[in-house]
Amino acid sequence: MQKNNQKIWIIGSPRSGTTFLTDLIGQKTKYCFNEPWDKYPLGKHNEWNLPDDGYLVFKYCANCFYYEEIKNLYPNSKWVYIVRDPIHILYSMTFTKKTSYPNRIFFEDIQNTSKRIKRIIKMMNEYLKNCRKIKEALVINYENINYEKLSNFLQIEVQKNNKFANRNKYFEKNKMKLLKFIANSKIIL
């Protein structure tokens, strides 16, 4: 059995379900940090003073780039890597809804959609490449989460919560438009 001060790190590409997974696991942990920019600045892991008196789930997608540093500071941590259909990620990053959380537009300064998609794909690939390097991470599929496997790995009971389920009614309608746009733009995925 794990100590009750277990650190759980959530990693994955932005818009892959990391916020969903952090919030879901956070319902069962004492502490839940979902991109805590002010309190725990990204890249300044040596300055963090994380609580050590209960289960803690922590998410910055970019923590995959700091894996070695975090592992050295918190060697008994658990890592969960959430993956999602890349077309869903691409769509979500390219056409972020105003109601999305966190609400951010990627590369909004690039007005040319083709150039923006190319930048998003490049960024997405960097995240995925670094996440895959973390061999001890449990890989969870956003479209088909295995709650029993997740619970056993973390040694806490994680229950399905339909409130957070992916219900993007616009995606299927616009998926073909996105794929046609990519094909016409000669963007290589």
Side-chain angles (χ1 to χ4, degrees), residues 34 44 57 108 122 126 163 169:
N34 199 336
K44 297 186 178 185
V57 62
E108 64 185 27
K122 183 178 178 182
E126 285 300 311
K163 175 183 173 190
K169 61 185 174 188

Side-chain angles (χ1 to χ4, degrees), residues 9-13 15-22 61 79-84 89 128 131 137-143 145:
W9 304 92
I10 307 300
I11 55 171
S13 171
R15 313 307 305 173
S16 65
T18 54
T19 298
F20 156 76
L21 190 59
T22 302
C61 293
W79 293 78
V80 181
Y81 166 31
I82 189 162
V83 296
R84 184 179 183 193
I89 295 171
L128 299 178
C131 287
L138 173 68
V139 179
I140 293 293
N141 184 303
Y142 178 74
E143 286 84 9
I145 294 174

Side-chain angles (χ1 to χ4, degrees), residues 74-104:
Y74 307 101
N76 298 318
S77 296
K78 297 276 187 169
W79 293 78
V80 181
Y81 166 31
I82 189 162
V83 296
R84 184 179 183 193
D85 181 325
I87 293 297
H88 285 255
I89 295 171
L90 181 58
Y91 179 83
S92 186
M93 290 175 81
T94 305
F95 307 107
T96 304
K97 299 180 295 185
K98 289 182 181 176
T99 58
S100 293
Y101 176 78
N103 184 5
R104 66 173 75 108

